[in-house]
């Protein structure tokens, strides 16, 4: 497949305008350094996976790249995939806007497809299906190029990837781009184990993500360097200001949206990071073998969740009593020595004590033996 040079991409971009998300106005399409670096990697590699921070213009620049491929190669089919209908339509609309600005003639132009006069086409594909369903994405079609946008957010991600890659020609161009989730999905699996070229774009890579270095003192910058790996004080100042003004101090959420290192993208789901000095609330009392923080008052607003394990000195069986009213833990039982009879006896006591609305237990493997006893 014919590919453009970076010089040619920059030259073509210079005659276009794109929507500036900050101002809401159309501005000249001037590529940032991180976008140029990504484009060169896309030119050099047919299969790429891009892990990124938010609002870096990566969706736009990858769309522009596959758009140029379609102009340069007659009769190729490009799939543009997104998680839902609105997002797939938004991506196709950008392609249509590029074509209109360059005054390109089209053969077909509707909500699902755009066909250029040279026979190259763009198909908007919505990939999310019901969980557990077989994906029909790309069924009965053959594509030369796949662009999967925000691929970490697909429901049936493994099935979707299998369906789309099965609908390609030999030696296709495949591009996946996304901010990350902590879920173990196909995007994460490809990042960890595939031969795709891996391109990480940090929030430090965007020249606009900066604030005055004076926004943070020397001590704070040193802390941010040591804790999160910052190498740029202006970027650290931007990140720190965003943490306190827009994310309410939620470091986990901010790291997922604006990672500094690749590991931040995968590990920043709520609960995955533990503070250096976590707050520990000592239990109020012990009921049977269960630590109690909230004692039962009226009953009915508690639930109990049980995770059974083998015990005998290995994994712990745990039961957590959850207060639906305060949304906090009321009690915790855990043991790696109690056998099933003792576990059942403890659950019975907790049932009498808290009178929960429901009891939930895992039934995979060992848990299947606990359920009949309960």
């Amino acid at each position: 497949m014919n590919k453009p040079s970076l010089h040619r991409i920059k030259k073509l971009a210079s005659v276009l305008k794109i929507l500036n998300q900050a101002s809401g106005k159309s501005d000249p399409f001037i590529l940032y350094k991180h976008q140029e670096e990504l484009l060169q990697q896309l030119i050099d590699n047919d299969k790429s996976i891009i892990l990124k921070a938010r609002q870096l213009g990566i969706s736009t620049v990858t769309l522009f790249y596959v758009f140029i491929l379609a102009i340069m190669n007659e009769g190729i089919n490009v799939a543009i995939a997104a998680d839902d209908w609105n997002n797939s339509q938004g991506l196709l609309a950008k392609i249509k806007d590029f074509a209109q600005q360059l005054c390109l003639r089209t053969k077909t132009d509707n909500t699902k497809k755009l066909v250029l006069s040279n026979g190259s086409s763009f198909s908007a594909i919505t990939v999310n299906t019901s969980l557990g369903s077989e994906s029909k994405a790309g069924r009965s079609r053959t594509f030369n190029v796949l662009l999967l946008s925000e691929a970490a957010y697909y429901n049936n991600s493994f099935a979707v990837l299998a369906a789309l890659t099965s609908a390609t020609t030999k030696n296709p161009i495949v591009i996946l781009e996304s901010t990350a989730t902590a879920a173990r999905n196909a995007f994460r699996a490809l990042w960890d184990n595939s031969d795709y070229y891996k391109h990480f774009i940090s929030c430090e890579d965007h020249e606009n993500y900066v604030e005055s270095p004076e926004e943070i003192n020397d001590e704070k910058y040193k802390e941010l360097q040591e804790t999160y790996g910052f190498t740029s004080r202006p970027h650290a100042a931007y990140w720190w200001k965003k943490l306190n003004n827009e994310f309410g101090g939620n470091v986990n959420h901010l790291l997922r949206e604006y990672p500094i290192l690749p590991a931040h993208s995968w590990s920043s789901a709520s609960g995955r990071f533990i503070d250096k000095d976590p707050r520990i609330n000592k239990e109020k009392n012990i009921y049977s073998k269960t630590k109690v923080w909230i004692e039962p008052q009226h009953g009915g607003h508690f639930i109990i969740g049980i995770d059974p394990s083998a015990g005998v000195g290995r994994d712990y069986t745990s039961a957590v009593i959850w207060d639906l009213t305060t949304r906090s833990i009321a009690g915790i039982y855990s043991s790696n020595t109690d056998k099933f009879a003792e576990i059942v006896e403890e659950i019975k006591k907790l049932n009498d004590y808290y009178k929960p609305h429901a009891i939930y237990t895992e039934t995979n493997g060992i848990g299947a033996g606990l359920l009949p006893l309960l």
Side-chain angles (χ1 to χ4, degrees):
M1 188 180 300
N2 296 321
K3 293 183 178 180
S5 65
L6 181 58
H7 173 73
R8 185 171 184 177
I9 295 176
K10 291 171 66 175
K11 188 174 181 180
L12 191 57
S14 67
V15 302
L16 296 176
K17 289 189 174 183
I18 60 171
L19 182 67
N20 185 315
Q21 292 184 332
S23 66
K25 299 178 182 178
S26 292
D27 291 336
F29 190 4
I30 300 173
L31 295 170
Y32 292 102
K33 180 182 177 182
H34 70 269
Q35 292 175 322
E36 292 185 11
E37 291 174 349
L38 172 60
L39 283 167
Q40 188 60 61
Q41 296 301 335
L42 294 178
I43 294 168
D44 295 341
N45 299 275
D46 285 346
K47 291 185 177 181
S48 301
I49 181 168
I50 305 156
L51 176 63
K52 61 186 179 67
R54 282 179 59 87
Q55 302 299 325
L56 292 171
I58 303 307
S59 295
T60 299
V61 82
T62 52
L63 281 169
F64 189 55
Y65 176 66
V66 300
F67 173 71
I68 295 177
L69 290 177
I71 294 176
M72 295 180 62
N73 297 273
E74 294 184 1
I76 68 169
N77 297 320
V78 180
I80 302 171
D83 56 340
D84 62 34
W85 172 254
N86 289 333
N87 289 336
S88 67
Q89 287 301 293
L91 297 175
L92 186 60
K94 287 186 178 182
I95 292 288
K96 292 179 180 181
D97 183 55
F98 293 150
Q100 290 171 359
Q101 289 191 58
L102 294 176
C103 300
L104 298 181
R105 288 183 297 168
T106 60
K107 293 180 177 179
T108 304
D109 183 351
N110 56 45
T111 58
K112 293 184 178 180
K113 199 168 189 177
L114 177 71
V115 182
L116 303 178
S117 60
N118 69 351
S120 292
S121 68
F122 301 90
S123 298
I125 296 176
T126 302
V127 300
N128 274 358
T129 59
S130 299
L131 289 175
S133 300
E134 180 182 356
S135 175
K136 297 181 180 179
R139 186 66 60 88
S140 303
R141 285 176 279 183
T142 303
F143 299 106
N144 306 88
V145 179
L146 298 179
L147 174 57
L148 281 64
S149 179
E150 292 296 348
Y153 292 87
Y154 297 171
N155 280 351
N156 248 0
S157 61
F158 288 97
V160 166
L161 189 66
L164 286 174
T165 53
S166 298
T168 59
T169 56
K170 187 178 181 180
N171 300 321
I173 290 176
V174 182
I175 303 169
L176 293 87
E177 57 91 0
S178 188
T179 51
T181 68
R184 285 280 179 176
N185 50 32
F187 185 82
R188 173 70 184 275
L190 286 179
W191 181 269
D192 286 343
N193 301 309
S194 73
D195 60 358
Y196 280 54
Y197 179 81
K198 299 167 183 64
H199 194 90
F200 173 66
I201 307 175
S202 163
C203 72
E204 280 196 305
D205 290 323
H206 200 318
E207 58 197 69
N208 288 348
Y209 286 176
V210 294
E211 286 285 350
S212 168
E214 304 305 318
E215 291 282 341
I216 50 177
N217 58 33
D218 292 343
E219 184 179 356
K220 176 55 65 177
Y221 180 46
K222 184 174 184 293
E223 179 188 337
L224 293 175
Q225 285 180 300
E226 294 174 349
T227 306
Y228 304 112
F230 277 102
T231 59
S232 164
R233 185 162 179 162
H235 285 89
Y238 171 89
W239 191 89
W240 180 249
K241 187 174 181 179
K242 203 170 194 67
L243 172 67
N244 292 288
N245 292 344
E246 298 177 31
F247 282 75
N250 189 332
V251 173
N252 295 332
H253 190 189
L254 181 61
L255 282 174
R256 186 167 61 249
E257 303 289 350
Y258 295 90
I260 301 93
L261 304 173
H264 295 151
S265 304
W266 309 122
S267 302
S268 56
S270 179
R272 295 294 181 92
F273 282 176
I274 299 175
D275 292 338
K276 289 184 297 181
D277 300 306
R279 185 184 68 185
I280 299 175
N281 295 328
K282 184 174 176 55
E283 68 275 8
K284 290 183 177 180
N285 62 46
I286 304 292
Y287 175 78
S288 185
K289 300 176 182 179
T290 298
K291 295 180 179 180
V292 173
W293 282 268
I294 301 174
E295 296 177 332
Q297 296 175 2
H298 308 292
H301 58 267
F302 296 97
I303 58 174
I304 299 177
I306 309 165
D307 182 9
S309 294
V312 294
R314 298 200 298 269
D315 295 342
Y316 279 75
T317 292
S318 298
V320 176
I321 302 94
W322 182 256
D323 188 333
L324 294 169
T325 304
T326 62
R327 297 186 178 185
S328 55
I329 292 172
I332 295 177
Y333 157 78
S334 64
S335 173
N336 69 341
T337 56
D338 282 355
K339 297 180 180 179
F340 266 8
E342 297 166 293
I343 295 169
V344 169
E345 186 62 30
E346 186 69 13
I347 300 303
K348 287 181 177 178
K349 289 180 180 179
L350 293 176
N351 180 64
D352 292 338
Y353 187 58
Y354 279 100
K355 297 180 174 58
H357 171 69
I359 298 177
Y360 300 93
T361 181
E362 183 186 44
T363 57
N364 293 338
I366 294 171
L370 179 64
L371 189 61
L373 297 177
L374 289 175

